[in-house]
Amino acid sequence: MTFVPVIPESYTHVLAEFESLDPLLSALRLDSSRLKCTSIAVSRKWLALGSSGGGLNLIQKEGWKHRLFLSHREGAISQVACCSHDDDYVAVATSQGLVVVWELNQERRGKPERISVSSEHKGRKVTALCWDTAILRVFVGDHMGKVSAIKLNTSKQARAAATFVMFPVQTITTVDSCVVQLDYLDGRLLVSSLTRSFLCDTEREKFWKIGNKERDGEYGACFFPGRCAAGQQPLIYCARPGSRMWEVNFDGEVISTHQFKKLLSSPPLPVITLRSEPQYDHTVGSSQSLSFPKLLHLSEHCVLTWTERGIYIFVPQSVQVLLWSEVKDIQDVAVFKNELFCLHLNGKISHLSLLSVERCVERLLRRGLWNLAAHTCCLFQNSLIAGRGRKSLTVDKLEHLKSQLDLTTYSDLISQLEELILKFEPLDSACSSRRSSISSHESFSILDSGIYRIISSRRGSQSDEDTSSLHSQTLSEDERLKEFISHQEEDQPEQCCSSHGNEVTFETDKNETFLPFGIPLSFRSPSPLVSLQAVKESVSSFVRKTTEKIGTLHTSPDLKVRPEPRGDEQLCEEDVSPVTCSKEEDTEGIEEVTSQPPEEDKFQELKIATAEAMAKLQDPLVLFEPKSLRMVLQEWLSQLEKTFAMKDFSGISGTCNSSTTSNEDVLLFDESKNRILVEDNEKEERDSSGNEETVDHTACESENSLREPLDDLFQVCSPCSIANGLRKDLAELTTLCLELNVLNSEIKSTSGHADHSLQQCSSEILACQFLKKYFFLLDLKRAKESIKLTYANHHCVWDTFIEGLKEMASSNPTFMEMEEGDLPTKLKLVDDSVPFDSPLLIAYATQLYEKFGESALRSLIKFYPSILPSDVMQLCHHHPAQFLAYLDSLVKSRPEDHRQSFLESLLQPESLRLDWLLLAVSHDAPPSTSTMDDEGNPRPHSHLFSWGYSQLILHLIKLPADFTTKEKMTDICRSRGFWPGYLTLCLELERRREAFTNIVYLNDVSLMDGDSGWIPETMEEWKLLLHLVQNKNTTPAPQNSPNGSFSDGPSPVNLENVALLLAKAMGPDRAWSLLQECGLTLELSERFTRTCDILRIAEKRQRALIQSMLEKCDRFLWSQQA
């Protein structure tokens, strides 16, 4: 891993590509050599793509849905323009010079219609289109310099102001050369030609030339809107030779000339893209003397242009180059706000966004692109440190990013991140030491004023300097920190997993009423003195706590006494579990804390049991012996149950009543277990056979009887604070228990043998109850995979897991916002708000599926690989056909040459191949009576029937697999009548006799012709085929095929057609002798004889030609020797 260079501090923005539009072009068939994209435009709602075939594709930007296709017989699309103030209108110019304006009728949900077709520029090349910003009017410019306006006659025209264009189409002016660019703003039309720029007042019909000096070449011009609030007039920027721009006022007078030639000598900034790692070269190049073919107003303060080398973004008012990046072969660019859509010469499209560096990194983090985010941070670390990035991109986020990187692969990158994190520390030494002492024990945030806001992560923390011992006062702050770090594993608690957070802001102003809620209120602005006092007291509290910790090292735990709180002291209690304890919240917000042992004692036995279990798991004899491993986990689980069934948790969480919950939990399970035993014994007496369906039914009934009372016991948050190190070990062991099905320490067989139905039923119920009791301890990603593998056929366990995720996500504002809105809006909300690697993502997907069904499933392909096909299969287990729709869409979203390998990567485990194949041939398929006769043989031409998922089936069949799997796939295809796949597999398995037999039944000779045909290879196979055809001719043929009469279909498999194939493959003479040997020559017609004669002549000519060529080569070689 090489060292990442650092970009200078002055560069604060970057171009980023977060998604590729190649799958979109592939779906639109715009990625072939015959058909490609030729023009592009963008608006608030639409991305418009014109094609060389005359089609206009309108794609909705939210969710990238292809909504409309508008066809034009007037030639390829050369220009497209979307109306900026009304998304219902779009203008198109064709290669024949016609301009067509469409009204999309989206509000009325009608069909799009042409409302104007202008032939004013027929026979010319339209080079520019531009919409009026206020009324429905289109300006058109061509390569001869002609500029016209098309006024639209619609119902909206009545509301438009009158202009000097009184007719639907009127020529405005003719300039001296080709129109390069048109722009319009506030009644002024800007025309840029090859020689100069012109300004036209469309209301007063006045024209001005801008500047006195001409130019020669393609140079653009654009309006630069002013700020209405500041009373600024709009400006105009006109490109000039030598990387220059004119700044022009709204009356057409040149104010100044801006020179960017020397500024462009800086090296290009990398484009942040998934395609490659960003690279930066410090080498300063020479000055760039460029001509800017077009100028576009971007964002608020920027002007964009491009050349064949790259994209350039300027801040013209301050004469600065915001950035320039190398993006090759750009044909055209369309912009909307800070989005860029670049059309390349090869027809490809790039979707770029202009973002500040910190916003770019945040979006990368949200999508789980850790490597790219780390590279970007290291590249732009100077900008992040000096700019506003320190407020939005916190140290916690950088620490989390560092933890996601692989130490062996990205060691250099991690070291650079560590340096960046150190530089994020406050520069003042006092502040730095204060931060280091606070951050070990408390989290904090820096306000805009520079004040530290301290957020407690402890229970019952007190800010009292007077209680500090003499020993703590004599220790230096660094020594205290070292002492604290040595016991950090025991002393540092974990914050609650609720997304609301459990924050208590320490305010030491005695006159201010303490609020019992940890909600940051923007209107409560404490004075700097109060905030600094809070910092001081928090540091003192930390020192006192550290001293107490040191004191306990020399005394017995039984002798430790917690100091009584003083009467005038305010004690703040942290709300640790808002999910399970909110109903019992203390209304006063202040609770008196009595003398009690520290919370570590509550977990002392659990800590010991956990440490012993983790140590035993290091022994290979235990780890690789399932029975021993389960015994270790069962012993540990008994201690876990005992700990979380303790009645006295008041010292840890004064608002929680854990004993009630745990006791109810145990009693419920005991009652349910007895009920299961009774039901099972009664069932055994009634039906001794005990078939599988009855067992499953009994299990589900018993499990359903428990689900309702267990719903109240979901524990998604910890009932108490748990140290980080202990929590990590608890999560490992709890998840391992779920994976190995060690779900209860007391389940033992009461008799000599365990009944199968009881085991199955108990396993499901225990899994559900285990999830509900210890959800807060589980590694959710591993738990999800374990449930999919172990309980694939017991969907109640999956449903319980999803309920837990929903409960965990229910407090998130995003989850609440998902209640309203359409599917694209909700998808965008999830995409923007939920990290790609979050285990809660499947909960949001479930919510979308429950409301929108199959359409939501198809949209989930954008979240791959965070949401896998196996997740979707569990999601829609009641409707397997919907899973097929998702899988088919997912495979088709990949380029065609990658689909086979992509599908193979999804088949984990391998057994899914047969399951998916059986699903695909069972849904959206023709009835078996149409594909097979009563004896199971193929019906004629039944291989031509359409299958809804034929492409997916063929992909599954062509994937490499072992012989047994291929045989099973062959049986599936034959039993369902999918003959194309069956023939392919027969050929692959060398079952050629079966293949030829079925080809004769299918009665299509084209199956044996062409490059992909199944042609016989040996004399024995030809004899077999002739024999099969002869027997077929002797049996009575059916009256009609399912497709109609035989004459309507392909060429039949009869004796003459097979004989012709034989003559082509083996030559006419050998074919004739084989037919004579089989006694079939009398049944052949004159057509066969003529064809054989033609083949003989062709064969003789071919031999003669070969002989002639050989002789010429021989003479040439001899001449070279001489």
Side-chain angles (χ1 to χ4, degrees), residues 888-906:
D888 192 51
S889 300
L890 180 63
V891 173
K892 287 180 178 177
S893 68
R894 297 300 187 267
E896 195 164 353
D897 53 340
H898 295 161
R899 290 175 184 173
Q900 197 87 3
S901 57
F902 175 68
L903 182 59
E904 186 175 8
S905 68
L906 300 179

Side-chain angles (χ1 to χ4, degrees), residues 112-309:
E113 57 181 337
R114 297 187 178 196
I115 57 174
S116 177
V117 179
S118 170
S119 57
E120 189 75 14
H121 302 267
K122 188 174 183 180
R124 302 185 179 190
K125 180 182 179 181
V126 175
T127 56
L129 287 178
C130 174
W131 279 88
D132 192 313
T133 56
I135 64 174
L136 295 175
R137 180 170 53 173
V138 184
F139 299 98
V140 188
D142 61 32
H143 78 291
M144 300 295 289
K146 185 176 183 180
V147 180
S148 66
I150 305 172
K151 189 176 181 182
L152 305 179
N153 297 319
T154 67
S155 58
K156 299 179 182 181
Q157 183 66 30
R159 299 191 296 269
T163 61
F164 78 98
V165 182
M166 301 303 296
F167 302 97
V169 180
Q170 181 174 342
T171 301
I172 292 182
T173 185
T174 301
V175 297
D176 53 0
S177 58
C178 172
V179 176
V180 177
Q181 189 176 0
L182 295 175
D183 201 5
Y184 186 89
L185 182 68
D186 295 344
R188 305 285 173 97
L189 177 67
L190 181 61
V191 183
S192 181
S193 70
L194 294 175
T195 58
R196 62 172 67 246
S197 297
F198 303 87
L199 188 61
C200 169
D201 188 334
T202 57
E203 296 177 357
R204 294 183 292 174
E205 302 184 39
K206 290 186 177 182
F207 298 87
W208 300 272
K209 293 180 180 179
I210 297 178
N212 297 320
K213 295 183 180 180
E214 293 188 353
R215 64 201 181 191
D216 184 16
E218 292 189 358
Y219 295 90
C222 71
F223 285 107
F224 194 86
R227 294 185 177 179
C228 298
Q232 295 179 353
Q233 282 287 329
L235 296 174
I236 300 170
Y237 287 99
C238 303
R240 297 293 299 168
S243 303
R244 291 178 297 157
M245 281 187 204
W246 275 345
E247 185 174 308
V248 185
N249 62 21
F250 208 51
D251 295 324
E253 300 172 353
V254 178
I255 302 173
S256 60
T257 302
H258 300 320
Q259 175 62 264
F260 297 98
K261 184 175 181 180
K262 292 183 180 179
L263 295 175
L264 291 174
S265 62
S266 60
L269 291 187
V271 176
I272 307 301
T273 175
L274 305 178
R275 304 174 193 270
S276 60
E277 290 184 356
Q279 303 291 332
Y280 180 74
D281 187 1
H282 281 284
T283 307
V284 177
S286 58
S287 302
Q288 299 187 57
S289 181
L290 306 173
S291 58
F292 305 139
K294 284 185 182 179
L295 298 180
L296 301 175
H297 178 245
L298 178 68
S299 189
E300 292 184 3
H301 309 287
C302 303
V303 170
L304 175 141
T305 187
W306 68 91
T307 65
E308 67 280 355
R309 185 179 177 186

Side-chain angles (χ1 to χ4, degrees), residues 440-456:
S440 310
H441 209 73
E442 299 176 349
S443 60
F444 74 102
S445 61
I446 306 175
L447 304 179
D448 292 339
S449 60
I451 295 172
Y452 287 77
R453 178 169 175 269
I454 309 301
I455 303 169
S456 173

Side-chain angles (χ1 to χ4, degrees), residues 457-749:
S457 60
R458 300 166 299 175
R459 171 159 304 282
S461 60
Q462 303 176 21
S463 300
D464 188 3
E465 290 182 334
D466 297 334
T467 59
S468 301
S469 66
L470 181 63
H471 178 65
S472 67
Q473 293 173 358
T474 57
L475 284 175
S476 68
E477 198 166 68
D478 291 336
E479 289 172 341
R480 295 171 196 150
L481 181 60
K482 289 178 183 177
E483 292 284 34
F484 172 72
I485 291 173
S486 65
H487 304 286
Q488 186 176 11
E489 181 177 348
E490 295 180 3
D491 202 34
Q492 182 180 2
E494 178 87 352
Q495 288 187 354
C496 181
C497 57
S498 172
S499 62
H500 283 304
N502 304 305
E503 303 177 357
V504 177
T505 306
F506 286 89
E507 302 288 351
T508 58
D509 189 352
K510 303 286 183 178
N511 298 324
E512 185 175 0
T513 305
F514 181 77
L515 296 178
F517 304 105
I519 303 173
L521 302 177
S522 59
F523 56 83
R524 297 180 69 224
S525 178
S527 64
L529 181 60
V530 172
S531 298
L532 290 175
Q533 183 68 17
V535 174
K536 178 182 176 183
E537 293 186 353
S538 298
V539 173
S540 302
S541 174
F542 157 68
V543 173
R544 180 177 52 76
K545 288 292 182 182
T546 307
T547 307
E548 291 176 2
K549 171 63 72 175
I550 295 172
T552 59
L553 297 177
H554 307 287
T555 59
S556 171
D558 299 328
L559 301 177
K560 287 189 291 184
V561 179
R562 187 178 181 128
E564 293 283 345
R566 289 168 27 178
D568 59 344
E569 203 170 15
Q570 271 193 341
L571 302 178
C572 57
E573 189 97 18
E574 182 181 359
D575 180 12
V576 182
S577 182
V579 174
T580 58
C581 311
S582 59
K583 293 182 181 179
E584 302 176 21
E585 219 171 52
D586 188 359
T587 56
E588 296 178 1
I590 303 172
E591 185 172 326
E592 200 70 32
V593 179
T594 59
S595 294
Q596 56 191 345
E599 65 181 61
E600 285 82 0
D601 289 349
K602 301 286 185 181
F603 291 101
Q604 196 62 33
E605 293 183 6
L606 180 61
K607 279 183 180 180
I608 295 171
T610 302
E612 290 178 355
M614 294 298 292
K616 290 178 181 178
L617 291 183
Q618 304 301 319
D619 185 359
L621 297 178
V622 174
L623 188 61
F624 297 107
E625 176 58 43
K627 186 176 180 181
S628 302
L629 183 58
R630 284 190 171 89
M631 287 179 62
V632 171
L633 292 175
Q634 205 164 18
E635 290 175 7
W636 172 82
L637 187 58
S638 64
Q639 184 60 48
L640 181 72
E641 292 175 347
K642 178 181 176 182
T643 302
F644 285 100
M646 290 170 60
K647 296 182 179 180
D648 185 15
F649 267 100
S650 58
I652 302 172
S653 177
T655 59
C656 290
N657 190 357
S658 303
S659 60
T660 305
T661 299
S662 300
N663 291 336
E664 286 178 1
D665 201 18
V666 174
L667 288 172
L668 261 173
F669 177 69
D670 290 339
E671 291 175 8
S672 64
K673 186 170 63 174
N674 294 334
R675 185 164 58 252
I676 294 163
L677 287 168
V678 172
E679 289 179 1
D680 189 73
N681 291 334
E682 291 175 356
K683 186 66 184 176
E684 206 169 6
E685 291 173 4
R686 287 195 305 266
D687 186 8
S688 59
S689 61
N691 58 66
E692 189 175 350
E693 293 182 5
T694 309
V695 170
D696 290 341
H697 181 70
T698 307
C700 292
E701 280 185 353
S702 304
E703 186 249 327
N704 289 334
S705 67
L706 284 177
R707 289 186 63 182
E708 196 166 323
L710 286 177
D711 284 341
D712 298 331
L713 306 177
F714 238 120
Q715 192 75 18
V716 297
C717 274
S718 174
C720 51
S721 297
I722 305 175
N724 192 26
L726 178 60
R727 173 180 284 273
K728 185 178 178 181
D729 292 341
L730 290 178
E732 175 67 28
L733 293 173
T734 308
T735 308
L736 198 57
C737 284
L738 180 65
E739 291 171 340
L740 296 178
N741 204 22
V742 180
L743 303 175
N744 190 281
S745 60
E746 299 177 1
I747 292 297
K748 297 180 181 178
S749 179

